[in-house]
Amino acid sequence: MTDLLYTEKDLVTSLKDYIRAEESKLEQVKKWAQKLDVLSATAIQDPEGFLGHPVNAFKLMKRLNTEWGELESLVLKDVSDGFISNLTIQRQYFPNDDDQTGAAKALMRLQDTYRLDTQTISTGELPGESPMTVEDCFELGKIAYSDADYYHTELWMEQALKQLDGGEESTVDMVTILDYLSYSIYQQGELERALDYTKRLLKLDSAHQRANGNLKYFEYQLAKQKKVEVEEGLKEKEKREREKREASDKKGRPADYLPERRKYEQLCRGEGIKMTPRRQSRMFCRYSDNNRHPLYVLGPVKQEDEWDRPRIIRYHDVLSNSEIEKVKELAKPRLRRATVHDPQTGKLTTAHYRVSKSAWLTAYEDPVVDKINQRIEDITGLNVKTAEELQVANYGVGGQYEPHFDFGLKMLSSLLQMSDVPSGGATVFTDVGAAVWPKKGSAVFWYNLFASGEGDYSTRHAACPVLVGNKWVSNKWIHERGQEFRRRCTLDESD
């Protein structure tokens, strides 16, 4: 996407060159027209007298035989070739419909996770101030509609309507917005509101065929509903109202919405479990020499307790800015959409619950990678010879990884953070309620296996969507194999 910004800048420069060429051409045509306008006005007053002069007669012949032909060539001259050629070349790198839909869904994912109203997003109240037009809101609503997501269709069509009512000029007409809005509201079971918007539409376009049909249908359904309510009596009416309230509470939730999802979103918003003062008193910051490791005796590493059970530790200032930039430089050309194992096919595939790009870096390809691997070993005291390669991951617009475990292949986790994130992007532990926020240059470490080698289910974690910013991390998964003499096995899981 960074490359796309430069591509667009190049296209704007090319477009300006084309505009200047068109303006120059029109200026020439304009001067010629003005000159002939004056000449024609004089000649028409006394045509015979004018043509009685031999020079005027010659010049008329010359103009019609030669100059009008030159003007025709000038008018027909296409000065857009350079711009069109550049646009055609660059178009191969443009996003497609799937990319645009993905970005729209990411925006709606952020809206749900962080409980943002459409007004906050559209008016540019998020950090960075990037307001949205009526067309932007309408396009988001349309994408949600094509996915049968009537909840978000309603939210964004209402925002588009609000901005139109506020006087914003737009190429999207109000009738079209009202058409989408009334139908999406009807699909969510709110007949009265759907009817109100349909009536408003018909005031603007009384001949609208679909709206006239909907009006009759909505009125019929409402009358039928009221008749049933009268016949059912008070108790049934109260039951129906209760069902409506429950449906309203669930409004906007996907079909696969689970209680864990609710907790995950709460943690992402910073609404995690607060430690008691007693638990908090056991959390410390310290200088660690990792059992008098030769590298850290004189220059110990800064260590901070992030959580107690499971124990999550942050090491500060582990990576320098130059090392981070080098790792990003090595990874960028290889970044590909992250995949997961499909349990049914056993193959790697992309999934909506893991939205990021990743690349793998081997120790031998650059001294910096080897140096980072060695530093992880020195700090943790674990053997990284049997560990996986360094994985670099980038979470862009709405990037996330929903709750999961890392210990399927008997691994321990080390997460190196290579960027600060203005908003969002925390790593949260849904089982215990912990949240660890991005801090550039630091490394977060936890054991997701007990000393017995069994998985610690309390380490179930997730990467929250990035609300504003760009999140870069490096993962180092350290296998249990190779740690036999560094982290000795025990049968006691509580150890």
Side-chain angles (χ1 to χ4, degrees):
M1 289 182 73
T2 306
D3 293 339
L4 286 176
L5 280 178
Y6 288 105
T7 297
E8 190 170 54
K9 184 178 183 296
D10 179 49
L11 285 173
V12 170
T13 302
S14 181
L15 180 61
K16 285 180 177 178
D17 291 341
Y18 160 65
I19 292 168
R20 278 193 290 270
E22 284 284 13
E23 286 175 341
S24 175
K25 185 177 89 170
L26 286 172
E27 193 60 36
Q28 292 179 61
V29 174
K30 187 178 177 182
K31 285 178 181 177
W32 208 82
Q34 287 171 343
K35 181 183 75 173
L36 284 182
D37 190 36
V38 173
L39 186 62
S40 298
T42 305
I44 294 301
Q45 289 177 7
D46 181 11
E48 288 189 20
F50 178 82
L51 292 172
H53 196 294
V55 173
N56 288 343
F58 165 73
K59 289 175 77 172
L60 176 62
M61 294 301 113
K62 177 176 171 286
R63 281 198 304 276
L64 291 171
N65 183 51
T66 307
E67 294 180 16
W68 276 99
E70 291 172 354
L71 178 67
E72 182 183 23
S73 298
L74 177 63
V75 171
L76 291 174
K77 182 182 177 184
D78 191 351
V79 296
S80 67
D81 286 351
F83 170 68
I84 295 299
S85 175
N86 194 12
L87 182 61
T88 303
I89 292 168
Q90 300 291 3
R91 194 184 296 279
Q92 62 183 310
Y93 305 113
F94 281 13
N96 56 28
D97 289 344
D98 287 342
D99 295 319
Q100 183 176 333
T101 300
K105 287 183 177 179
L107 193 52
M108 288 182 262
R109 187 187 309 129
L110 293 172
Q111 182 180 6
D112 294 342
T113 302
Y114 295 103
R115 288 188 177 172
L116 304 170
D117 58 62
T118 50
Q119 182 77 6
T120 299
I121 300 171
S122 183
T123 54
E125 291 177 34
L126 293 177
E129 295 184 4
S130 186
M132 297 172 71
T133 62
V134 170
E135 287 86 353
D136 294 333
C137 297
F138 177 73
E139 191 60 36
L140 273 174
K142 260 177 59 178
I143 288 171
Y145 181 85
S146 65
D147 210 29
D149 178 0
Y150 300 112
Y151 169 71
H152 287 107
T153 305
E154 176 193 345
L155 291 180
W156 286 105
M157 289 299 174
E158 276 193 331
Q159 183 60 34
L161 185 64
K162 187 186 293 184
Q163 290 178 211
L164 267 185
D165 287 340
E168 184 180 323
E169 292 184 4
S170 172
T171 56
V172 184
D173 65 281
M174 194 174 287
V175 169
T176 306
I177 292 172
L178 287 167
D179 193 18
Y180 276 103
L181 189 53
S182 61
Y183 186 75
S184 63
I185 289 172
Y186 156 70
Q187 283 289 344
Q188 295 176 85
E190 298 184 55
L191 276 170
E192 289 186 21
R193 285 184 63 220
L195 182 61
D196 289 341
Y197 279 119
T198 303
K199 287 177 179 177
R200 184 175 172 183
L201 188 161
L202 288 169
K203 282 182 182 178
L204 298 171
D205 182 3
S206 58
H208 197 286
Q209 191 174 353
R210 184 167 49 252
N212 276 301
N214 287 344
L215 179 71
K216 292 176 184 175
Y217 179 73
F218 293 161
E219 287 177 336
Y220 166 74
Q221 289 292 337
L222 265 176
K224 187 178 174 183
Q225 187 175 300
K226 287 177 181 176
K227 184 181 177 183
V228 170
E229 285 176 1
V230 170
E231 291 172 354
E232 283 177 344
L234 187 62
K235 284 187 178 179
E236 287 297 324
K237 188 177 180 181
E238 287 175 353
K239 182 183 174 184
R240 186 183 291 273
E241 289 296 325
R242 187 171 64 253
E243 287 173 353
K244 277 185 181 179
R245 283 194 299 273
E246 288 172 357
S248 179
D249 290 340
K250 294 177 182 176
K251 198 174 179 183
R253 291 182 181 177
D256 60 351
Y257 191 91
L258 298 171
E260 186 186 29
R261 173 81 171 268
R262 182 167 172 267
K263 190 170 185 181
Y264 157 59
E265 292 178 349
Q266 284 178 329
L267 290 169
C268 289
R269 294 193 295 269
E271 300 169 7
I273 295 171
K274 305 301 178 189
M275 283 191 177
T276 62
R278 187 176 179 183
R279 276 181 74 184
Q280 189 67 48
S281 68
R282 300 190 189 116
M283 310 291 285
F284 294 98
C285 292
R286 65 186 69 81
Y287 285 103
S288 170
D289 60 13
N290 191 20
N291 295 321
R292 300 192 63 76
H293 190 287
L295 282 175
Y296 300 115
V297 171
L298 295 179
V301 66
K302 288 180 276 189
Q303 189 187 80
E304 178 183 359
D305 293 331
E306 288 278 356
W307 203 256
D308 54 357
R309 296 187 301 274
R311 193 178 183 210
I312 304 169
I313 298 169
R314 187 194 295 271
Y315 296 96
H316 292 271
D317 304 325
V318 170
L319 296 176
S320 67
N321 285 335
S322 60
E323 287 172 331
I324 288 170
E325 292 309 311
K326 186 61 182 178
V327 169
K328 286 163 66 175
E329 179 192 322
L330 292 168
K332 276 182 182 179
R334 291 183 244 170
L335 286 174
R336 297 292 180 272
R337 174 74 187 266
T339 56
V340 295
H341 281 279
D342 187 325
Q344 293 181 335
T345 65
K347 295 180 180 178
L348 291 173
T349 182
T350 58
H352 72 277
Y353 58 81
R354 188 180 191 186
V355 184
S356 64
K357 285 195 164 190
S358 59
W360 297 87
L361 303 181
T362 55
Y364 59 78
E365 63 187 288
D366 193 279
V368 166
V369 181
D370 190 38
K371 202 172 172 183
I372 291 171
N373 286 340
Q374 187 60 51
R375 193 173 301 151
I376 292 170
E377 179 168 317
D378 295 337
I379 290 174
T380 63
L382 297 171
N383 184 359
V384 298
K385 300 296 184 292
T386 57
E388 301 202 2
E389 304 297 352
L390 189 69
Q391 186 197 46
V392 181
N394 174 237
Y395 295 83
V397 180
Q400 65 163 4
Y401 192 177
E402 289 185 10
H404 61 282
F405 297 109
D406 282 341
F407 54 68
L409 297 173
K410 299 292 184 182
M411 296 185 292
L412 317 170
S413 296
S414 181
L415 179 70
L416 292 93
Q417 298 177 333
M418 303 196 300
S419 63
D420 292 315
V421 179
S423 190
T427 300
V428 299
F429 293 75
T430 52
D431 193 66
V432 297
V436 180
W437 300 90
K439 182 172 175 52
K440 189 177 182 180
S442 69
V444 179
F445 178 81
W446 64 92
Y447 287 110
N448 50 44
L449 298 178
F450 289 113
S452 65
E454 295 302 312
D456 182 354
Y457 286 88
S458 68
T459 61
R460 186 168 175 81
H461 62 285
C464 295
V466 176
L467 179 55
V468 177
N470 199 1
K471 178 181 172 183
W472 285 89
V473 297
S474 292
N475 298 304
K476 191 69 177 177
W477 283 299
I478 305 168
H479 286 269
E480 179 190 32
R481 182 171 56 84
Q483 317 309 327
E484 293 85 352
F485 298 104
R486 301 197 182 203
R487 189 189 189 221
R488 293 183 180 277
C489 178
T490 174
L491 297 179
D492 184 4
E493 288 196 1
S494 64
D495 186 356

